[in-house]
Amino acid sequence: MITEDLLRISSNQGVSSVDSSHLSRLINDSVSDCANGSTDHSNSTISDDAISKCTFTPGGRRYYVPISIDEACIPVVNKLFDSMEEGMEFYQAYGRLSGFNTRRSTEKTNDDANIVSKYVVCSRAGFNEKKLIVSNKKSSQVKRRRTVSNRCGCGAKIILRVVSGKTYRISTFVEEHNHDLVPKSGRQFMRVNRQMSIISRKFVFDAANVNIGVSKSHSFMKEQVGGYANVGATVRDFRNFSRDLKAYVGERDAQMIINKFKAKHASCESFYYAYDVDSEDHLTKLFWADAVARRNYELYGDAVSFDATFDTNMYNMVFCPFTEVDKHDKCVTFGFALLSKEDIPHFQWTFDHFRKAMGRNPVVIVTDQCPAMKQAIPISFAATDEFPATRHRLCMWHIMEKFPMKLGNYLCKETDFMEKMKKYIWSSTLEPAEFEKCWTSVLKEFKLEGNRWLWEMFAIRTSWIPAFFRDKPMFGLMRTTSRSESENNFFSQFHRQSDSLCEFYLRFGNAMDRQRYEYARLNQEDLSAIPSTVSKLFIEADAAQLYTRPIFYKIQQEILASCYDMRIQDIGPLVDGVKCYIMKDVLMKEKLFEVKVSQNHADCSCKKFVMCGILCRHAFCALNHFEVVKIPRLLVLNRWSRTAENRPSSSKFVGVSDDFRKMETVSLMVSNIWFSFQKSMNKAGVDVEKLSYVDKVVKQLNSDLGDGSGLTKKAHMEVMMGPQPTEDIIIHAPNQCKNKGSGFKRFVSQREKAIKEGNKRARKCKICQSSVHDARTCPRKNDSSAGDAEKNKSSTEKNKSSIVDVTGEVEVDSGHED
């Protein structure tokens, strides 16, 4: 009867770990043993899929012994080993096959501190000591951490004793365990099978460099090796290794990054770096620029965008890249800085080293309205005997964004005020006097003559209005810091807020590799193909041969506009080979342009070539009428040409030293070997014979390489992160910085508050659905409360009238007795 009830309960509850037949067999065996009065527990049974043999002692205790193990892998007393490590590895391999983990335990030494005996036990040997928690609070109020323990006092072990020299023998071998062994399905989670290999560590490291998290990298490696069981480690192991990398750097973070820069400079003189520390030797400023960045500055370093609003490390140091536009109209970065503060000394230090590294001042530098930068730029980029002073230009976008906040949304969005202002502010064809006249007329029209902020912006008009940059070469190339914003978004794909300096630099290297790879790809596309022309003009075909593809498409638009949108109003006489054209652009009414053309030059009053380095439609119209079939080479800037790199360089490139070459190429060699192996596996496909051949070759290779464990964990981290400093730490890690946007509390403007409140969902009263008040202050609250009270009263009276018990009988309430 009991057996049938147990079987019924197990089947109803859906027992999955033990099937009904197995449970029935166990119960029948127990019942028969009780019926026969048997007390002999020494007999043991082994199922078909068992991994161990269970034995009962006369006292009723169970002991488990591994089965189906190759005799050569089973420890035996007096077995000799050439070293103690070899003996421990042998027992560990036995545990891997049997289904248990091992750990080192007690050891005995002689008077010379040499180990004479070593205990290697099952990982479940011994018991965990209970820690006494002392607290003034009551025991019921003390929160204790939930922990588990796998220690159960297992006695399985081997004892290794020294024979002579470094030879050891097994003096004692206890085979029985007091716990069941790990089944085959769970052996992938055993600690002995979760040792991260060099490939696994390298995979986690490389994935982190491209901002792939631990969980995704573990899943991706599972796809590479064919299953989670073949990964050899769990997600927790991957996460622990990532933690160990941070611990490996630790307080040596700043010292290691400076040592790495010193090694780079020693191997390549063109690598420039500088740093500064505070009074307590904590790193506060860091600047660097490699040979490629300095070479790019020679080619494209005319207009530079500088931004200091991007923090990408655990210290909240601000990452400040110097950004420009290359010949493909893409972002290119020249120099890089990490700063702990955004003040005048820090910015001045950065600009001084940027000028020193690049050898000259930029033509123009574009920033936001940071007052510290405004003070530092004239000091650092002052005029010299060799180079003129750098012109500081403010970002137009940042200023235009302030109009609604300073003047109100009604004026800026409900009227045509912004439309008229933008027409004059963004125009590149107005002269300064024309702009001033138009600005004053708009303010007068909307009665804003007394607005203080508008007159402040008018006072600094020479720093942000394009009309005041028309005569400056390349000043129209960049009007905003949007290039820096784009670069920040690009770097954010590689960096994390929790990065140390060493991790930041590794990920930064991958970001620069991506940027320079894209530059090389575009170069190859330009050299391998010529863009198609639309018109039959020879000058367009010539432009396709000279310029890069993105720049040619811009010039192509100007050439087509010169054919359709230009109207020649007057042609002057030919004087000294120069002819003057007066023409009108149909897209710009009431505006005439004067173009002076010769066989070798063209000069237009719109001055687009001066500002951006690209010929305008007015010049192309005049050149075409003057029968010029090729663009004058004086009007082709090297920075836009397909062969810009052919310009001679003043940078010195030297060979890389052997030590630095080894440190830099080990990672590449491992990647290449892994790629070659993947290529071999792809060739093998699903062909069983080819896969068998690959398996045979790999096993032979493992045999040829010996039984060495390869790189240790610490040695491998040294290869990946760089060596730890052997001497005392001179440069300490930066302190936590308090900069704008670094997570600390800041002032919130009224505009931000209004936007935040506007995005909130309107709160409604639950009684009357009004959005003016809530249920606590609703005028109808008293009425509804009275109605609810009446309903509750009637319901109570109804319930008191009769009470039905579980038997179905009706009891009369005591309040209604006769």
Side-chain angles (χ1 to χ4, degrees):
M1 184 67 179
I2 297 176
T3 303
E4 295 177 356
D5 291 340
L6 290 175
L7 291 175
R8 190 184 308 111
I9 292 172
S10 65
S11 62
N12 290 338
Q13 292 180 346
V15 175
S16 58
S17 58
V18 182
D19 60 1
S20 59
S21 61
H22 184 57
L23 182 63
S24 177
R25 184 171 67 252
L26 291 177
I27 295 175
N28 291 335
D29 291 344
S30 300
V31 173
S32 62
D33 289 344
C34 294
N36 297 331
S38 175
T39 59
D40 185 10
H41 297 281
S42 61
N43 295 330
S44 60
T45 59
I46 306 173
S47 61
D48 295 337
D49 57 348
I51 60 170
S52 62
K53 179 175 65 176
C54 180
T55 304
F56 293 87
T57 65
R61 293 184 178 181
R62 296 179 180 179
Y63 285 95
Y64 299 84
V65 178
I67 61 175
S68 303
I69 306 296
D70 189 0
E71 293 184 359
C73 300
I74 301 177
V76 293
V77 177
N78 294 327
K79 184 177 179 61
L80 299 177
F81 302 98
D82 294 335
S83 65
M84 184 179 64
E85 293 292 334
E86 183 181 348
M88 290 189 294
E89 290 178 2
F90 178 82
Y91 191 58
Q92 186 182 56
Y94 169 70
R96 180 186 294 108
L97 297 174
S98 303
F100 68 94
N101 289 308
T102 63
R103 61 181 172 89
R104 304 179 183 186
S105 186
T106 308
E107 63 182 29
K108 296 181 180 180
T109 59
N110 56 17
D111 296 337
D112 298 331
N114 295 323
I115 299 176
V116 296
S117 66
K118 182 71 176 181
Y119 286 64
V120 186
V121 300
C122 173
S123 63
R124 303 188 67 176
F127 298 93
N128 282 351
E129 297 180 359
K130 295 183 178 180
K131 296 182 179 179
L132 179 62
I133 301 177
V134 180
S135 176
N136 295 329
K137 300 180 180 180
K138 296 181 180 180
S139 59
S140 60
Q141 297 178 350
V142 177
K143 292 184 178 181
R144 294 180 174 86
R145 181 181 178 184
R146 293 180 178 179
T147 59
V148 295
S149 174
N150 64 351
R151 302 286 182 91
C152 60
C154 180
K157 64 183 178 181
I158 64 169
I159 302 178
L160 298 170
R161 297 188 184 277
V162 66
V163 177
S164 61
K166 295 183 179 180
T167 304
Y168 286 79
R169 70 178 180 88
I170 299 178
S171 63
T172 303
F173 171 49
V174 179
E175 187 178 16
E176 296 81 8
H177 299 259
N178 67 348
H179 57 87
D180 201 358
L181 302 180
V182 179
K184 293 182 179 180
S185 60
R187 291 185 182 179
Q188 58 178 308
F189 304 107
M190 293 172 55
R191 187 179 68 249
V192 69
N193 291 326
R194 292 192 291 111
Q195 302 296 329
M196 291 191 67
S197 63
I198 295 177
I199 297 297
S200 299
R201 295 196 292 261
K202 185 67 171 56
F203 191 84
V204 174
F205 179 76
D206 292 340
N209 284 346
V210 291
N211 208 13
I212 297 178
V214 174
S215 298
K216 288 186 178 180
S217 62
H218 184 266
S219 301
F220 184 66
M221 192 169 186
K222 168 254 181 184
E223 297 295 332
Q224 293 287 323
V225 299
Y228 287 112
N230 299 330
V231 174
T234 63
V235 178
R236 174 59 59 184
D237 297 325
F238 275 42
R239 189 171 289 111
N240 289 343
F241 177 72
S242 180
R243 175 206 62 195
D244 294 340
L245 280 177
K246 288 185 178 292
Y248 174 81
V249 175
E251 298 179 353
R252 300 170 289 271
D253 194 9
Q255 187 68 57
M256 288 178 64
I257 193 70
I258 298 301
N259 290 349
K260 185 174 293 188
F261 282 178
K262 288 180 180 178
K264 282 181 172 290
H265 179 71
S267 62
C268 180
E269 294 181 1
S270 296
F271 182 85
Y272 182 92
Y273 76 99
Y275 67 92
D276 194 15
V277 296
D278 59 12
S279 58
E280 298 179 352
D281 293 329
H282 290 280
L283 185 68
T284 57
K285 310 179 191 74
L286 182 62
F287 175 85
W288 71 97
D290 58 9
V292 179
R294 298 173 72 181
R295 171 59 173 162
N296 287 335
Y297 184 80
E298 286 187 345
L299 300 174
Y300 313 113
D302 33 35
V304 176
S305 176
F306 181 76
D307 182 72
T309 59
F310 187 47
D311 53 334
T312 54
N313 52 80
M314 61 189 297
Y315 310 105
N316 289 325
M317 296 184 75
V318 180
F319 178 54
C320 309
F322 291 83
T323 308
E324 234 284 34
V325 180
D326 63 11
K327 65 178 184 179
H328 301 290
D329 201 25
K330 300 291 185 181
C331 292
V332 59
T333 315
F334 302 138
F336 322 92
L338 285 170
L339 303 177
S340 59
K341 292 183 179 179
E342 298 179 63
D343 56 9
I344 297 175
H346 283 69
F347 286 136
Q348 184 178 344
W349 181 90
T350 303
F351 296 148
D352 288 343
H353 283 286
F354 178 78
R355 186 192 70 252
K356 185 177 179 181
M358 303 306 169
R360 62 175 176 85
N361 295 338
V363 177
V364 59
I365 184 169
V366 184
T367 69
D368 56 13
Q369 288 182 279
C370 176
M373 294 183 191
K374 182 179 179 180
Q375 297 291 329
I377 288 174
I379 300 175
S380 298
F381 297 132
T384 62
D385 297 337
E386 199 172 354
F387 303 105
T390 299
R391 184 76 177 271
H392 184 200
R393 182 168 185 174
L394 300 178
C395 175
M396 296 181 64
W397 181 84
H398 282 91
I399 296 177
M400 296 302 295
E401 280 290 295
K402 295 181 180 179
F403 270 76
M405 181 175 57
K406 298 293 184 180
L407 304 178
N409 287 329
Y410 174 78
L411 180 65
C412 297
K413 297 183 179 180
E414 302 297 331
T415 66
D416 59 348
F417 169 76
M418 288 302 296
E419 183 179 352
K420 292 183 177 181
M421 290 297 289
K422 289 180 179 180
K423 177 182 178 182
Y424 304 128
I425 289 176
W426 290 95
S427 175
S428 299
T429 59
L430 290 177
E431 294 292 339
E434 293 179 283
F435 167 77
E436 293 173 357
K437 181 180 178 181
C438 296
W439 174 283
T440 306
S441 64
V442 174
L443 264 60
K444 185 176 180 180
E445 179 183 352
F446 290 91
K447 299 180 181 181
L448 297 172
E449 299 93 331
N451 188 281
R452 181 178 178 182
W453 181 80
L454 285 176
W455 284 111
E456 288 178 355
M457 294 299 101
F458 183 75
I460 60 172
R461 59 191 180 279
T462 57
S463 299
W464 65 287
I465 299 298
F468 295 89
F469 296 95
R470 298 182 70 246
D471 297 329
K472 308 299 181 182
M474 305 307 294
F475 272 44
L477 185 61
M478 299 180 68
R479 300 182 178 185
T480 68
T481 57
S482 59
R483 292 288 178 173
S484 292
E485 300 291 341
S486 175
E487 199 76 341
N488 290 345
N489 180 66
F490 169 72
F491 282 114
S492 66
Q493 301 175 21
F494 296 85
H495 298 297
R496 303 176 187 173
Q497 187 67 35
S498 60
D499 286 347
S500 63
L501 293 181
C502 290
E503 291 175 316
F504 166 82
Y505 185 72
L506 290 170
R507 291 171 173 78
F508 161 81
N510 280 277
M512 295 310 300
D513 289 342
R514 171 81 67 83
Q515 184 184 94
R516 290 164 184 174
Y517 164 79
E518 186 69 13
Y519 181 82
R521 183 185 66 83
L522 294 174
N523 277 347
Q524 178 59 31
E525 288 183 357
D526 274 335
L527 296 175
S528 60
I530 303 296
S532 302
T533 58
V534 178
S535 68
K536 297 182 180 180
L537 297 176
F538 292 107
I539 202 168
E540 183 186 2
D542 184 51
Q545 296 286 342
L546 291 175
Y547 294 101
T548 60
R549 193 175 303 177
I551 305 304
F552 167 74
Y553 290 144
K554 292 183 178 181
I555 291 179
Q556 189 180 54
Q557 292 179 358
E558 299 295 328
I559 293 175
L560 295 178
S562 68
C563 299
Y564 301 111
D565 299 334
M566 297 297 106
R567 301 293 183 266
I568 298 177
Q569 301 292 325
D570 188 20
I571 302 177
L574 182 64
V575 179
D576 297 331
V578 178
K579 184 177 290 189
C580 183
Y581 290 84
I582 304 297
M583 61 183 62
K584 181 180 179 181
D585 192 339
V586 297
L587 300 179
M588 301 180 65
K589 299 179 180 180
E590 301 178 358
K591 187 70 175 178
L592 298 178
F593 297 92
E594 180 181 359
V595 185
K596 296 179 181 180
V597 178
S598 66
Q599 288 291 334
N600 301 319
H601 197 266
D603 184 17
C604 180
S605 60
C606 75
K607 299 181 180 180
K608 182 173 183 177
F609 178 78
V610 177
M611 291 188 295
C612 303
I614 297 176
L615 277 178
C616 60
R617 59 192 65 188
H618 322 112
F620 278 116
C621 181
L623 288 171
N624 186 35
H625 190 274
F626 201 66
E627 298 181 353
V628 177
V629 295
K630 289 188 177 182
I631 300 176
R633 293 307 184 255
L634 294 176
L635 302 177
V636 179
L637 295 186
N638 182 75
R639 72 168 345 273
W640 301 129
S641 66
R642 301 170 64 192
T643 58
E645 291 82 2
N646 294 343
R647 174 183 172 183
S649 173
S650 60
S651 300
K652 298 179 181 178
F653 297 93
V654 295
V656 182
S657 63
D658 294 338
D659 294 339
F660 188 71
R661 187 189 301 274
K662 179 180 179 181
M663 184 177 64
E664 290 290 313
T665 57
V666 164
S667 176
L668 182 61
M669 290 180 63
V670 173
S671 300
N672 290 339
I673 293 172
W674 179 256
F675 177 78
S676 299
F677 179 74
Q678 290 288 339
K679 188 176 180 180
S680 300
M681 292 297 297
N682 290 336
K683 290 182 177 181
V686 294
D687 192 326
V688 177
E689 294 183 358
K690 292 182 179 180
L691 290 174
S692 300
Y693 174 73
V694 172
D695 182 54
K696 179 181 178 181
V697 172
V698 171
K699 289 182 178 179
Q700 183 61 40
L701 180 62
N702 290 332
S703 177
D704 295 341
L705 292 176
D707 297 332
S709 58
L711 282 175
T712 62
K713 183 178 181 180
K714 185 176 181 179
H716 197 192
M717 288 192 293
E718 180 176 343
V719 172
M720 293 184 289
M721 302 295 294
Q724 292 179 336
T726 56
E727 67 279 356
D728 294 337
I729 299 177
I730 302 175
I731 306 170
H732 297 282
N735 294 317
Q736 284 293 326
C737 308
K738 297 182 180 181
N739 291 309
K740 294 180 292 185
S742 59
F744 295 91
K745 187 176 180 180
R746 64 181 181 86
F747 292 106
V748 181
S749 65
Q750 294 296 328
R751 183 189 183 194
E752 291 181 83
K753 292 180 180 178
I755 293 175
K756 186 176 181 180
E757 291 295 330
N759 293 333
K760 288 184 177 180
R761 187 176 61 181
R763 187 176 182 179
K764 294 184 178 180
C765 176
K766 295 181 179 179
I767 299 175
C768 63
Q769 301 299 316
S770 174
S771 59
V772 180
H773 57 263
D774 55 18
R776 295 173 298 178
T777 60
C778 181
R780 297 171 55 186
K781 181 179 180 181
N782 296 331
D783 298 339
S784 61
S785 299
D788 293 341
E790 189 68 25
K791 291 180 181 179
N792 293 334
K793 182 177 180 181
S794 61
S795 177
T796 304
E797 294 294 335
K798 184 177 180 180
N799 292 335
K800 284 184 177 181
S801 61
S802 62
I803 301 176
V804 181
D805 64 0
V806 294
T807 61
E809 299 177 354
V810 178
E811 296 182 354
V812 179
D813 187 70
S814 58
H816 297 276
E817 294 181 351
D818 294 335

